[in-house]
Amino acid sequence: MPYERLDKDIQMMKEAGINVVRIAESTWSTVEPQDGVFDFSHIDRVLNAMHKAGIQVIIGTPTYAVPTWLVKKYPDVLATTPQGQNRYGVRQNMDITNTHFRFHAERVIRKIMEHVKGHPAIIGYQVDNETKHYNTTGANVQALFVQYMKTKYKTLDAINKAYGLDYWSNRINNWADFPSTVGSINASLSAEFSKFQRKLVTDYLAWQAALVREYKRPDQFITQNFDLDWRGYSYGIQADVDHFAAAKSMDIAGIDIYHPTQDKLTGIEISLGGDLTRSMKLDASNRGKNYLVLETEAQGFPQWVPYPGQLRLQAFSHLASGANMLEYWHWHSIHNSAETYWKGLLSHDFEPNPTYDEAKTIGRDFEKLSSHLVNLKKTNAVAMLFSNEALTAFNAFSFGWGASQKYNDVLRPMYDALYEMNVGVDFVDPTSTNLESYKVLIVPALYAASDALLERLNRFVKNGGHIVYTFKSGFSDENVKVRATRQPGIINEACGIYYSQFTIPQQVSLKDDPYKVGKEQNVVKTWMELITPTTASVLAYYDHPVWGKYAAITENKYGTGLATYIGCITSDAILKKVLEDAVKKAGIWGAEQQLSFPLITKSGVNQQGKTIHYYFNYSATPASLTYTYKAGKELLSNGAIAPNAVMPLEPWGVKIVEEN
């Protein structure tokens, strides 16, 4: 930004109600222009000006983009990946384990912290940025992996047996001969290396957090802006980070969420990112904690410039999932380099624009309503069980040679269906201690899982829980070794089924259209398991001259619970019906489910102990709904709302009701 604009920018920020900014990340080459030469003037200038204006500051460590002098002095700072060594230019091109990188990263972090630690404007620190392992696979990383394997397995015989390394003469007979994983054809070894790479990220972020913790005040927090799988926008579980493990070293979890807008705005990515981040850390009652949205778009890509009303809708949607802060990337639109056309709140002319003007209304409402909306506590009866290990293993094989589908292509349709039915969701993973506190677990493609996890899930059903599994669950152990039993392995006890064959469907549907979705939607595609029930009831058979004797979807009473198994990929319409049926049978189909997308509702309890209901219209068409709870107040208009009152919702509109 042009320096002479700082006072003007602060004035515009104040007019928009902006009360926090994040600075200093990615500025290593400005903070340390040469090795050991430090200049904090740009940080001081902004810090002091923000403090004078009453705007709080989050300081980011600058380590995700390395300076030229560091790479020139130590070329090995650039990560070696399966494609060779990285070149200088893009961000996040370094090897986060490299000793030269670590030495200089620690020094610049300490220098910044020593300089700013006493500043009263600072409320917290962000370590690094959207950190991942960047597929670092060089000789030094391979050596660290061998040490990791020695610690975990003790002997090569144990590794050879667990991973089936006799195949194609991949057996390792001497630790000195341990090969690079880059060329491995063994999915077990590759999956373990991926787990190791994710651990590098967990350890790296914990290392940075520990450095910052030496300097920070007790009233300041440490966070990280985790990101999601990227499909041109935030999509699903991030393959390169173990979010739940990495979040343990943070005081509060943070997330970056980017999503389509205009006619493609659904709110799903806002909800998914929020639900996942809220679930990263648990509060005293074993439920998810409030979190920070450290980045989301204001204008963003040209196709993301929001329609009138959409910026407000998005902002309150973040709060409805439990966010305690909303930050835009970024304040202005830069005039050069890679993100020139990733536009900020201000356009390239730095003047007010319709998006900025709408942000001013958000700021006024946040200021007025914060005491009612902050620290929203959410309690959900449904959780989605995801697994980084299953993700890696499933992605290795997917649905056979050449198949393009990934784990998130299984998870997202299930999440999307629940969102569209207004079923609140938390996320859990195999390490979660709170699985048993839910009524329903949704389990997409749990391809790799330990015996202990599957037995735990059987107990969950036996003790009254409801589970919905998809195809390819329970298939292999935690080492991606396929179980030598009837599939789906251990969970067949709770599911009451077995199968030994599967195929790619061609012109297959479900017999007699059991979910009444019509011919176009009654399809089986991509994958089908040929299921025989033992104790299970069949919800749907395949309609096919050969495969018609096999079950496609089943449910089984086990103990006092119910296990549903979906053995094929169906249309989204069928999947939605299956999940609706499961939620109803679990006894949690209620008032919120009387609405469905594009009318979205979310709720929680505020810090005064009052229930808050959010209502969103994710469409360009006016709508209305019947308010079915006890009398309250619509906070945005400050108007009274009676039970069974009809509330209009304008296109892309939002209403917030606080019960009396």
Side-chain angles (χ1 to χ4, degrees), residues 271-272 275 278 378-384 414-427 438-442 576 579-584 586 588-597 599-603:
S271 182
L272 183 144
D275 288 344
R278 191 183 64 249
K378 299 177 68 67
T379 302
N380 292 316
V382 178
M384 181 162 283
M414 301 187 86
Y415 182 87
D416 293 3
L418 294 166
Y419 170 84
E420 290 177 357
M421 293 186 290
N422 286 305
V423 175
V425 175
D426 291 343
F427 280 84
Y438 296 95
K439 292 184 178 180
V440 178
L441 290 179
I442 308 296
K576 197 170 185 177
L579 293 175
E580 177 184 331
D581 184 51
V583 171
K584 285 179 175 176
I588 50 178
W589 193 266
E592 292 189 338
Q593 285 68 54
Q594 304 313 306
L595 300 176
S596 61
F597 184 82
L599 297 183
I600 293 298
T601 181
K602 289 180 179 287
S603 62

Side-chain angles (χ1 to χ4, degrees), residues 52-156:
K52 183 179 178 182
I55 296 175
Q56 298 175 311
V57 179
I58 297 170
I59 296 284
T61 62
T63 45
Y64 80 100
V66 295
T68 53
W69 59 261
L70 181 61
V71 173
K72 184 176 182 181
K73 190 170 185 179
Y74 304 109
D76 61 346
V77 160
L78 296 178
T80 297
T81 76
Q83 287 72 46
Q85 190 174 26
N86 287 335
R87 297 183 178 184
Y88 185 82
V90 299
R91 67 182 192 178
Q92 297 167 314
N93 56 1
M94 68 286 187
D95 172 9
I96 60 174
T97 73
N98 180 272
T99 53
H100 298 127
F101 169 74
R102 285 291 188 103
F103 172 84
H104 287 279
E106 176 172 350
R107 187 174 70 178
V108 74
I109 290 169
R110 288 190 183 279
K111 289 290 186 182
I112 290 174
M113 293 301 300
E114 287 165 2
H115 186 80
V116 305
K117 65 180 181 179
H119 203 288
I122 300 170
I123 58 168
Y125 299 91
Q126 175 189 302
V127 289
D128 210 69
N129 175 83
E130 295 183 350
T131 311
K132 292 175 279 293
H133 55 68
Y134 316 127
N135 210 6
T136 182
T137 56
N140 60 316
V141 176
Q142 299 296 333
L144 290 171
F145 180 59
V146 173
Q147 291 303 313
Y148 161 90
M149 294 294 277
K150 282 182 178 179
T151 301
K152 180 169 182 176
Y153 285 97
K154 306 298 191 277
T155 69
L156 284 168

Side-chain angles (χ1 to χ4, degrees), residues 17 103 243 433 495 500 535 580 654:
F103 172 84
H243 280 144
T433 59
C495 293
S500 64
T535 58
E580 177 184 331
V654 56

Side-chain angles (χ1 to χ4, degrees), residues 22 25 58 126-132 221-230 233-238 241 243-244 247 250 252-259 268-281 289-297 317-319 321-329 427:
R22 183 179 57 150
E25 64 156 53
I58 297 170
Q126 175 189 302
V127 289
D128 210 69
N129 175 83
E130 295 183 350
T131 311
K132 292 175 279 293
F221 60 79
I222 298 174
T223 190
Q224 218 276 330
N225 57 329
F226 296 108
D227 69 349
L228 302 168
D229 177 41
W230 186 254
Y233 57 94
S234 303
Y235 188 75
I237 303 299
Q238 172 58 256
V241 181
H243 280 144
F244 281 28
M250 305 300 143
I252 185 168
I255 188 71
D256 292 354
I257 302 173
Y258 293 103
H259 53 84
I268 293 174
E269 291 78 24
I270 294 173
S271 182
L272 183 144
D275 288 344
L276 178 66
T277 314
R278 191 183 64 249
S279 301
M280 286 182 197
K281 298 185 78 67
K289 288 180 71 172
N290 300 100
Y291 59 94
L292 309 178
V293 178
L294 289 152
E295 291 183 25
T296 190
E297 82 258 18
S317 295
H318 287 292
L319 300 195
S321 287
N324 270 359
M325 184 181 78
L326 178 66
E327 284 192 318
Y328 296 112
W329 179 266
F427 280 84

Side-chain angles (χ1 to χ4, degrees), residues 66 85 218 274 310 380 391 407 450 455 537 547 622 634-635 643:
V66 295
Q85 190 174 26
Q310 288 188 337
N380 292 316
L391 181 156
Y407 177 85
S450 68
E455 287 160 359
S537 301
W547 310 130
E634 202 288 306
L635 297 177

